[in-house]
Amino acid sequence: MSDRISFVTWMASLHIRFTVWRLAEKVGTDRMGNTYFQEKKARPGMKTRRWVIFRGEPEATKVPPEWHGWLHYTHDKPITDDSPFRKPWLKDHQPNLTGTAGAYRPPGHQYEGGQRSRATGDYEPWTPS
């Protein structure tokens, strides 16, 4: 069964590569290694299709803001590093880490020991009478 799945995956990958080679032009690559494409020839009366081929697991939050704007036709070209819109105080894009070991867990979270330090005016649980 796994041989069939790997063959199907290989054929799908081959089909995607052929379609991209035939119909698309590469626009660029982001810092995470995702590659962005658009159609070579626009269809009459329609916008040029744009898409991304992810490096690794496909996850929409891996698309940085400058490429997100380009994919959704907000910008004609992706914002470059030397653009006046790029500010030195901006942090680098980070995909959503929910469900991973890198996810934020506040103090008192079950995975962080389940105990938090007391605070003034701390919470008192309701006790039914």
Side-chain angles (χ1 to χ4, degrees):
M1 181 72 172
S2 69
D3 290 339
R4 177 159 172 74
I5 292 172
S6 61
F7 177 73
V8 171
T9 304
W10 179 81
M11 287 298 293
S13 173
L14 186 63
H15 174 71
I16 290 170
R17 289 172 193 258
F18 177 72
T19 303
V20 167
W21 170 78
R22 190 170 57 94
L23 300 175
E25 63 183 351
K26 182 178 174 181
V27 176
T29 305
D30 65 18
R31 291 186 190 112
M32 295 183 181
N34 303 324
T35 310
Y36 299 86
F37 298 92
Q38 68 181 4
E39 283 181 315
K40 288 180 183 176
K41 276 177 47 178
R43 296 160 293 147
M46 302 185 82
K47 292 180 179 178
T48 304
R49 291 180 186 166
R50 298 174 175 178
W51 67 92
V52 58
I53 295 183
F54 293 99
R55 178 177 178 225
E57 191 70 27
E59 168 60 45
T61 63
K62 289 183 178 180
V63 176
E66 55 271 16
W67 284 101
H68 183 272
W70 178 80
L71 281 171
H72 294 275
Y73 305 97
T74 305
H75 315 290
D76 290 333
K77 296 178 182 173
I79 297 173
T80 58
D81 287 338
D82 59 348
S83 168
F85 296 106
R86 297 286 300 170
K87 305 296 183 197
W89 44 264
L90 286 174
K91 291 183 177 181
D92 285 336
H93 177 71
Q94 186 176 19
N96 185 355
L97 298 175
T98 302
T100 68
Y104 171 73
R105 294 187 181 113
H109 188 281
Q110 288 298 100
Y111 291 148
E112 296 295 325
Q115 299 294 321
R116 65 175 179 83
S117 56
R118 292 191 59 79
T120 55
D122 206 6
Y123 167 80
E124 292 182 22
W126 174 73
T127 315
S129 54

